Amino acid sequence: MAAHTDVASHTSATYAISASLPATYDAAGYAATTITYTAIGKMAKFPTYGSRRSVTNFPMISEGIAKIKGAPDYGGGDLMMADVPADAGQVILKAAEASANHYSLKITYADGEVHYLDVLVHAWELSEGAESAAMARTAAVAICRAPVVVAAS
């Protein structure tokens, strides 16, 4: 399978969610036919994700400051979409916010590359109102495991 060889775009990416979790947190587990993903409609924004680690400083009297890398944080933030209460993916996101359970997210990019994420949904909010502004929803997610990336075939 090939990775990106040139600039890639978020345009035409699709976002989908499932209440089912994989048996294994790898490409085979996420792609299992037992997991049904439901598209999330009218997406406008998706948060950054990957791995970021904190750095702890330990000042030593005679040797300077030692730097220690912490545990990975896989990211999270706000998914923003047009408010469409009848959208099946948005219905699942709303239910996910009320649940303590983890959910599976699947992002499919235009070139066929797929990213799988294990998430907790911890907010479901209607946007601020303003003249001529579209009604939007924000779902905040915390990404709980390392993203699983499957290159386009």
Side-chain angles (χ1 to χ4, degrees):
M1 292 190 197
H4 295 302
T5 58
D6 204 348
V7 177
S9 171
H10 289 280
T11 302
S12 299
T14 59
Y15 301 85
I17 189 165
S18 178
S20 298
L21 298 175
T24 57
Y25 289 89
D26 57 13
Y30 276 111
T33 57
T34 57
I35 299 178
T36 301
Y37 293 94
T38 301
I40 303 167
K42 312 300 183 193
M43 288 286 294
K45 178 183 161 196
F46 197 85
T48 60
Y49 60 91
S51 181
R52 177 181 294 257
R53 298 169 186 259
S54 62
V55 174
T56 301
N57 292 333
F58 183 80
M60 296 178 282
I61 293 173
S62 62
E63 298 176 42
I65 296 176
K67 307 248 182 209
I68 304 163
K69 188 168 33 172
D73 180 343
Y74 299 111
D78 293 340
L79 284 72
M80 192 174 81
M81 64 215 81
D83 181 44
V84 182
D87 179 85
Q90 292 185 29
V91 169
I92 295 171
L93 281 168
K94 181 179 179 182
E97 187 280 328
S99 170
N101 296 332
H102 288 228
Y103 283 70
S104 299
L105 275 175
K106 178 182 180 182
I107 306 164
T108 306
Y109 292 98
D111 67 355
E113 184 170 289
V114 177
H115 295 194
Y116 295 102
L117 307 173
D118 175 50
V119 302
L120 287 171
V121 180
H122 59 95
W124 181 250
E125 301 172 311
L126 187 61
S127 64
E128 263 184 87
E131 166 58 29
S132 299
M135 289 181 70
R137 279 280 171 189
T138 300
V141 298
I143 299 165
C144 303
R145 295 177 182 266
V148 173
V149 176
V150 179
S153 53

